[in-house]
Amino acid sequence: MAVASAAPGSIFRKQLLFCLLVLILSCDACRKISLQVPSHLQAETLVGKVNPKECFQSASLILSSDPDFRILEDGSIYTTHDLILSSARKSFYISLSDDQRQEQKEIEIVLDVRGKKVPKKRHTKDPVLKRSKRRWAPIPCSLMENSLGPFPQHVQQVQSDAAQNYTIFYSISGPGVDKEPFNLFYIDKDTGDIFCTRSIDREQYEQFPLYAYATTADGYAPEYPLPLLFKVEDDNDNAPYFENKVTIFSVPENCRTGTSVGQVTAIDHDEPDTLHTRLKYKILQQIPDHPKHFSIHPDTGVITTTTPLLDREKCDTYQLIMEVRDMGGQPFGLFNTGTITISLEDENDNSPYFTETSYFTEVEENRIDVEILRMAVHDQDLPNTPHSKAIYKILQGNENGNFKISTDPNTNEAVLCVVKPLNYEVHREVVLQIGVLNEAQFAKAANSKAPTMCTTTVTVKIKDSDEGPECQPPVKVLQSTDGLPVGKELQGYKALDPETRSSEGLRYKKIGDEDNWFEINEHTGDLRTIKVLDRESKFVKHDQYNVSVVAMDAAGRSCTGTLVVLLEDNNDHPPQIDKEVTICQHAKDYAVLEPVDADGPENGPPFEFFLDNSANKLWNLETKDGKTAILRQRQILDYNYYTVPIIIKDRHGLDAKHMLTVRVCDCTTPSDCKMNIKNVRDFKPSNVILGRWAILAMVLGSALLLCILFTCFCVTAKRTVKKCFPDVAQQNLIVSNTEGPGEEVMEANIRLPTQTSNICDTSMSGGTLGGQGVKTQQSFEMVKGGYTLDSSKGGGHQTLESVKGAGQDTGRYTYTDWHSFTQPRLGEESVRGHTLIKN
């Protein structure tokens, strides 16, 4: 297929497409359409196009039966992803639905892979049509923007080589045909002439890419789709305009010549890089117009200064009327104007100055924190900025620091105050010299001289007044020795009456004495100790103890002073160490001793360490650096507590003996030591302080014990009453479950009376002897810690007297006598008990 333009002598060229090749067959509606495509199709590639309106005027739904392809509303067929067609032929259907008519139709699409031969018999009578292998392409074609017609205006003509032998029908698609803007172009389907129907705005559409198609009457496409590009040539129909309607620049005053102020920019919608958009800038007018301070670069639009004489105090704002023109600034070019505002930034180029050359004021003596004068200044720089805010300084006359000057932030005035009392007796009048500067550093202008500080003088007259006592100096240092005893006097604080320059008539009172070391003499102010001075007291800081004193006159006016007692250290504290240390055998075989001396450094280390002779066998003591020592075992000791006597001396020989408890333990760290004490050598337990609950428990336990003892006494007293019981158990064995041992019978506790009485004929006591639990016919009676024994066996009354013999003391018997007397009878009773059981 060839393309012919409306101009005579046009050359037709052919071009093969490397992307999508589209064939449209539109002979019969809603019938099979064949499209030739390459074997490889990329995603979103246009395969071909059908005309849905030939089936339905308004198809409400268009669907593809093959998910590899999608159909647009205009009938364009696109691939959904990359495809490789392996078979020589592929077909699918396009389904069209019309909701109004309730009808549905299908169009069969057959894809012929490129390279396959066209069937020899498409029609029995027609020869086979083959594609031309010649390359062809359209010649460049352009349309003039804002063309005046007449319309329709001929643009180009396309022709196919196959038209020499067959009837070919032409069609086009793309923007301007079936896309926005619609119906701008159309083609004569028989001749291939393309026409434009109306004028075109290049700023809206710069070009139109179209596709031209050639098909036979039966729908076969002998040619590939032909791409056409219609470019719209620009017409200078848009005037340039400034990007911002209001543009404001700023530049410092007194700046140098050639300082850049800013750059203006304009916009032209015509075609870029053409004469239509080649812009030129110029300044039409400056307001105020004299003198000329600014210029502009005609091509870049950069505005610069032309003079260093910009002074904000004379004119702070300038306006420039600007023009921008296209066509390179030629008179026939289109143009526009705009206004540029340039503001001058303030610089500190004006020094402040006082409104008066001198000032006078007065103040009473001893007044403080009182305002005595305000002074105003004038500054031509911008108000309320660092360039105009004033800073005042007292240059002379304030050597004693009695005055302070500051700036009122609201009025910018100088405020002069008295901050330290003035003394009429010393100065009757004070003359101050005051200067003023700005907060910002002075910026020297090109046409100005170096700045000088503006100064003024202030005369301050001091008025006399009756004053109270003066405490000068406010702090007085008094030296004393450490350990000063009670009753010693020290010189106190002295205040003066400024009128008489003496301390007569003044009364002193102590208002600060933390540990109450002193008492003060009300008339002289001298101090007297009521406690021993101790430099190591917690109230002493850096060897100093402070006493605050107030001095008052007869009128009640007062002043306050501080007396600092500087204590000289006395060597009155020997070195001290911890009472107990731990040696962990798994970690180290020694302990580090670190003495502490409460005295000052001059009475402290280096220390000397000594072991008592009794400890030299087990321990060795090494001095390390004069401040510490190492206590080391001479041999491996058992895990136990040891008491080691150690003597420590300070540098002046003041010593103390310490009984150090050393715990040798099976541990790694002292906190892990949990030693079970078996053989404690020389270990003395620490004092135990009982709590209130422990004391209460002891009291209650004692009361309970007393109650038990009292009950036992009452029971014992009741049993001493003599009672006779019939021997009802003579022939019965009474079993007792008591198996505990009897009371131990000591020799000193056994005493038997010389005779017994009150024994009944059938006497039988319920006592048990030796814890045996066997009831016998013998009777025991407790008499003052001893026992009497009555026997009913036989006919006689046998006692210890008959056993022991008559020449001995019957009041005391040994344990051997008692034992030899009781054992045979106990055995006898035991045999009798067994006999009763057998019976």
Side-chain angles (χ1 to χ4, degrees):
M1 183 166 59
V3 179
S5 66
S10 299
I11 302 174
F12 296 96
R13 293 182 301 168
K14 293 187 177 181
Q15 179 184 13
L16 293 176
L17 295 176
F18 295 99
C19 58
L20 172 66
L21 301 178
V22 182
L23 297 174
I24 299 180
L25 183 63
S26 58
C27 54
D28 296 329
C30 300
R31 298 186 64 182
K32 181 169 64 176
I33 297 178
S34 298
L35 301 176
Q36 284 204 355
V37 294
S39 61
H40 181 266
L41 293 175
Q42 295 182 351
E44 300 299 328
T45 301
L46 179 63
V47 177
K49 185 176 181 181
V50 297
N51 189 1
K53 293 183 179 180
E54 294 181 356
C55 295
F56 294 116
Q57 289 297 325
S58 58
S60 58
L61 183 62
I62 304 177
L63 298 176
S64 171
S65 63
D66 192 337
D68 295 338
F69 302 92
R70 62 185 180 91
I71 315 299
L72 302 184
E73 293 181 358
D74 61 351
S76 299
I77 305 173
Y78 286 88
T79 57
T80 57
H81 55 84
D82 292 351
L83 290 177
I84 297 178
L85 302 178
S86 58
S87 62
R89 192 177 184 88
K90 181 179 179 64
S91 65
F92 63 93
Y93 292 91
I94 298 176
S95 177
L96 305 175
S97 298
D98 189 349
D99 293 341
Q100 294 180 356
R101 298 182 180 182
Q102 298 295 325
E103 295 182 8
Q104 184 174 352
K105 296 183 180 181
E106 290 184 348
I107 303 176
E108 182 182 2
I109 305 298
V110 178
L111 301 180
D112 291 332
V113 180
R114 184 191 307 174
K116 182 185 177 184
K117 295 183 179 180
V118 180
K120 295 182 179 180
K121 294 182 70 175
R122 277 180 45 252
H123 297 286
T124 55
K125 298 180 179 180
D126 295 337
V128 177
L129 296 179
K130 296 183 180 180
R131 292 184 183 275
S132 174
K133 295 183 180 180
R134 293 177 297 166
R135 285 191 167 272
W136 56 283
I139 63 173
C141 180
S142 62
L143 302 173
M144 189 64 190
E145 179 187 14
N146 301 323
S147 174
L148 299 179
F151 297 103
Q153 183 179 6
H154 186 266
V155 179
Q156 245 185 10
Q157 183 184 21
V158 293
Q159 289 182 343
S160 173
D161 295 341
Q164 298 177 3
N165 300 319
Y166 302 97
T167 301
I168 297 298
F169 297 98
Y170 301 97
S171 62
I172 57 175
S173 67
V177 182
D178 51 0
K179 295 182 181 179
E180 290 285 348
F182 295 104
N183 302 322
L184 180 61
F185 303 99
Y186 71 91
I187 188 171
D188 189 323
K189 67 176 182 177
D190 297 322
T191 63
D193 291 318
I194 301 175
F195 296 89
C196 179
T197 60
R198 57 184 182 274
S199 61
I200 305 172
D201 185 4
R202 191 207 66 84
E203 286 71 40
Q204 188 175 6
Y205 303 101
E206 295 183 0
Q207 60 186 13
F208 295 92
L210 304 178
Y211 280 98
Y213 308 94
T215 59
T216 61
D218 57 358
Y220 181 75
E223 300 284 358
Y224 294 129
L226 177 65
L228 302 175
L229 180 63
F230 296 160
K231 186 177 180 181
V232 181
E233 293 184 1
D234 184 44
D235 181 25
N236 189 21
D237 57 345
N238 291 277
Y241 62 93
F242 289 100
E243 186 174 3
N244 298 319
K245 294 183 179 180
V246 179
T247 304
I248 299 177
F249 295 123
S250 60
V251 64
E253 63 173 333
N254 304 317
C255 62
R256 296 180 179 180
T257 301
T259 301
S260 176
V261 178
Q263 182 179 15
V264 294
T265 56
I267 298 175
D268 195 327
H269 291 296
D270 289 323
E271 187 175 0
D273 301 325
T274 63
L275 193 61
H276 297 164
T277 55
R278 188 177 301 171
L279 308 181
K280 294 290 184 179
Y281 302 91
K282 70 177 179 179
I283 299 175
L284 298 179
Q285 184 182 2
Q286 173 186 302
I287 303 173
D289 59 351
H290 186 75
K292 301 294 183 182
H293 292 295
F294 305 98
S295 65
I296 188 170
H297 192 283
D299 296 324
T300 62
V302 176
I303 302 173
T304 55
T305 59
T306 59
T307 175
L309 303 177
L310 290 173
D311 191 353
R312 191 201 66 83
E313 287 71 36
K314 294 181 180 179
C315 180
D316 60 352
T317 303
Y318 291 89
Q319 285 188 338
L320 302 179
I321 308 300
M322 310 290 297
E323 179 191 87
V324 58
R325 187 184 293 266
D326 62 12
M327 301 301 291
Q330 298 183 29
F332 54 83
L334 303 179
F335 68 93
N336 231 321
T337 60
T339 302
I340 307 298
T341 301
I342 300 176
S343 298
L344 299 186
E345 297 175 353
D346 184 44
E347 293 289 326
N348 189 23
D349 56 345
N350 293 279
S351 299
Y353 57 89
F354 290 98
T355 56
E356 298 182 19
T357 57
S358 63
Y359 298 87
F360 176 83
T361 186
E362 58 183 11
V363 64
E364 293 184 358
E365 65 173 335
N366 299 321
R367 294 287 303 276
I368 60 173
D369 297 330
V370 58
E371 178 183 322
I372 61 175
L373 183 64
R374 281 180 173 260
M375 295 168 285
V377 295
H378 183 71
D379 196 323
Q380 294 180 352
D381 290 321
L382 191 64
N384 299 321
T385 64
H387 301 156
S388 61
K389 289 183 178 180
I391 297 178
Y392 302 93
K393 295 182 179 180
I394 301 176
L395 303 178
Q396 293 180 1
N398 193 33
E399 287 76 12
N400 295 327
N402 299 99
F403 302 93
K404 183 184 74 171
I405 193 167
S406 59
T407 304
D408 189 327
N410 299 322
T411 62
N412 207 32
E413 293 177 325
V415 181
L416 184 63
C417 299
V418 177
V419 294
K420 188 177 179 181
L422 294 168
N423 195 340
Y424 175 82
E425 288 72 24
V426 178
H427 298 289
R428 306 288 178 90
E429 185 180 87
V430 178
V431 179
L432 303 176
Q433 184 181 17
I434 299 176
V436 61
L437 289 173
N438 291 125
E439 290 184 1
Q441 187 176 0
F442 188 83
K444 181 180 178 182
N447 56 348
S448 63
K449 299 180 180 180
T452 57
M453 178 184 291
C454 180
T455 60
T456 188
T457 58
V458 178
T459 302
V460 181
K461 182 179 179 181
I462 303 172
K463 298 166 65 177
D464 188 22
S465 63
D466 190 10
E467 304 172 87
E470 292 182 352
C471 294
Q472 294 295 336
V475 178
K476 181 179 179 181
V477 180
L478 177 65
Q479 289 189 346
S480 178
T481 59
D482 184 18
L484 187 68
V486 177
K488 295 295 183 178
E489 290 191 359
L490 298 176
Q491 184 179 3
Y493 193 91
K494 302 296 182 182
L496 296 177
D497 188 340
E499 306 294 338
T500 61
R501 307 307 297 173
S502 69
S503 58
E504 295 182 1
L506 299 181
R507 297 291 182 267
Y508 297 91
K509 183 179 179 182
K510 184 181 66 171
I511 60 174
D513 184 2
E514 289 184 287
D515 201 22
N516 197 26
W517 283 6
F518 302 98
E519 62 181 6
I520 191 169
N521 190 316
E522 182 181 5
H523 300 284
T524 63
D526 292 335
L527 301 178
R528 199 159 88 107
T529 60
I530 58 177
K531 286 185 178 181
V532 178
L533 305 189
D534 185 8
R535 175 189 162 277
E536 287 74 29
S537 172
K538 64 179 181 179
F539 301 100
V540 177
K541 308 296 182 183
H542 306 292
D543 299 340
Q544 297 179 356
Y545 184 82
N546 297 335
V547 179
S548 298
V549 178
V550 60
M552 296 179 291
D553 59 10
R557 291 167 296 191
S558 63
C559 67
T560 303
T562 301
L563 188 64
V564 178
V565 181
L566 183 62
L567 296 174
E568 298 177 357
D569 185 32
N570 186 20
N571 192 17
D572 54 351
H573 291 81
Q576 301 292 328
I577 59 173
D578 295 335
K579 298 300 181 183
E580 181 179 327
V581 296
T582 301
I583 297 178
C584 290
Q585 294 283 29
H586 293 294
K588 54 187 179 181
D589 61 345
Y590 64 89
V592 179
L593 307 181
E594 298 180 355
V596 177
D597 197 327
D599 294 322
E602 63 277 3
N603 294 320
F607 302 116
E608 296 182 29
F609 301 85
F610 304 95
L611 277 176
D612 192 81
N613 294 331
S614 60
N616 286 328
K617 296 180 179 180
L618 300 178
W619 304 96
N620 181 30
L621 190 62
E622 304 172 5
T623 302
K624 189 174 182 181
D625 53 3
K627 295 182 179 180
T628 59
I630 295 177
L631 180 64
R632 193 184 303 274
Q633 308 173 64
R634 291 185 178 272
Q635 58 189 3
I636 299 177
L637 300 178
D638 295 336
Y639 300 142
N640 217 327
Y641 284 84
Y642 300 87
T643 300
V644 182
I646 297 177
I647 301 174
I648 305 177
K649 294 182 180 180
D650 62 14
R651 65 166 59 190
H652 296 298
L654 183 63
D655 61 357
K657 185 175 182 179
H658 304 277
M659 302 304 293
L660 180 65
T661 299
V662 182
R663 183 173 59 167
V664 180
C665 188
D666 181 12
C667 61
T668 304
T669 59
S671 60
D672 296 336
C673 182
K674 297 179 181 179
M675 187 166 59
N676 184 16
I677 304 176
K678 293 183 179 179
N679 298 318
V680 181
R681 300 183 181 180
D682 301 332
F683 173 71
K684 295 181 181 180
S686 58
N687 295 331
V688 178
I689 300 176
L690 297 179
R692 55 183 181 179
W693 295 109
I695 296 174
L696 180 60
M698 294 176 63
V699 171
L700 294 177
S702 301
L704 181 60
L705 181 60
L706 290 176
C707 292
I708 294 173
L709 292 176
F710 180 74
T711 303
C712 293
F713 174 76
C714 293
V715 173
T716 305
K718 185 176 181 181
R719 287 186 177 181
T720 57
V721 180
K722 304 295 186 298
K723 292 185 179 180
C724 296
F725 298 93
D727 191 5
V728 294
Q730 186 173 3
Q731 301 300 325
N732 297 311
L733 180 62
I734 300 175
V735 181
S736 173
N737 290 330
T738 303
E739 298 181 359
E743 297 181 357
E744 184 179 358
V745 182
M746 303 300 295
E747 182 180 357
N749 296 335
I750 302 174
R751 182 177 62 87
L752 295 176
T754 57
Q755 61 183 5
T756 60
S757 60
N758 297 330
I759 301 177
C760 301
D761 294 338
T762 57
S763 64
M764 184 175 183
S765 176
T768 58
L769 183 61
Q772 297 296 323
V774 179
K775 190 84 179 248
T776 68
Q777 292 180 347
Q778 296 171 343
S779 174
F780 293 90
E781 183 181 3
M782 180 182 293
V783 180
K784 296 183 181 179
Y787 290 88
T788 60
L789 180 63
D790 246 351
S791 178
S792 59
K793 182 180 179 182
H797 182 83
Q798 189 177 6
T799 64
L800 283 174
E801 295 178 4
S802 62
V803 177
K804 185 176 182 183
Q808 297 183 6
D809 184 11
T810 60
R812 299 278 181 182
Y813 299 95
T814 65
Y815 175 75
T816 305
D817 297 336
W818 175 261
H819 187 269
S820 60
F821 177 76
T822 58
Q823 287 300 318
R825 288 159 180 77
L826 291 175
E828 198 177 315
E829 294 298 326
S830 177
V831 172
R832 180 182 301 174
H834 286 290
T835 304
L836 291 175
I837 293 173
K838 292 180 179 180
N839 294 333

